[in-house]
Amino acid sequence: MNKLNTNQKRRLARAISRAASAELAARQAQLRLIRAERRVVAEEFESLRQIAIIISLPILFLLCAIFSSFWFIMIASAIIKSAR
């Protein structure tokens, strides 16, 4: 087995250090990308939530009006029946 001389050891150490730095940079870039994707998804979710609120509120008011009308009709019919 060949032994490395001092210069070769230094070069090998620098190469290993550069590889480790590159790997760390790649991981950091990947984390930044994940954070950016999460931000985009959160913004899209908030937008969809606001749209759902805008759509559901008029429907809710309409249903309340319909059910309250039925309730008043039932009470009025009960009062009319009891008056006879």
Side-chain angles (χ1 to χ4, degrees):
M1 182 171 162
N2 293 335
K3 293 193 173 188
L4 298 176
N5 62 32
T6 305
N7 196 23
Q8 290 171 327
K9 287 179 185 177
R10 281 190 199 130
R11 278 194 251 153
L12 181 59
R14 273 184 263 155
I16 290 171
S17 176
R18 282 193 300 272
S21 295
E23 184 179 351
L24 179 61
R27 286 183 183 176
Q28 289 173 341
Q30 188 177 19
L31 287 175
R32 283 192 298 271
L33 179 63
I34 290 169
R35 285 188 201 111
E37 287 173 347
R38 285 181 180 168
R39 264 193 308 275
V40 168
V41 168
E43 290 170 2
E44 288 176 357
F45 177 77
E46 185 62 27
S47 172
L48 290 175
R49 191 174 77 85
Q50 290 174 354
I51 291 170
I53 290 171
I54 291 169
I55 291 172
S56 65
L57 280 178
I59 294 172
L60 178 67
F61 291 139
L62 181 65
L63 287 175
C64 286
I66 291 170
F67 287 133
S68 63
S69 297
F70 285 139
W71 186 73
F72 285 124
I73 290 170
M74 289 171 52
I75 289 180
S77 102
I79 291 172
I80 291 171
K81 283 182 184 177
S82 67
R84 288 183 183 174

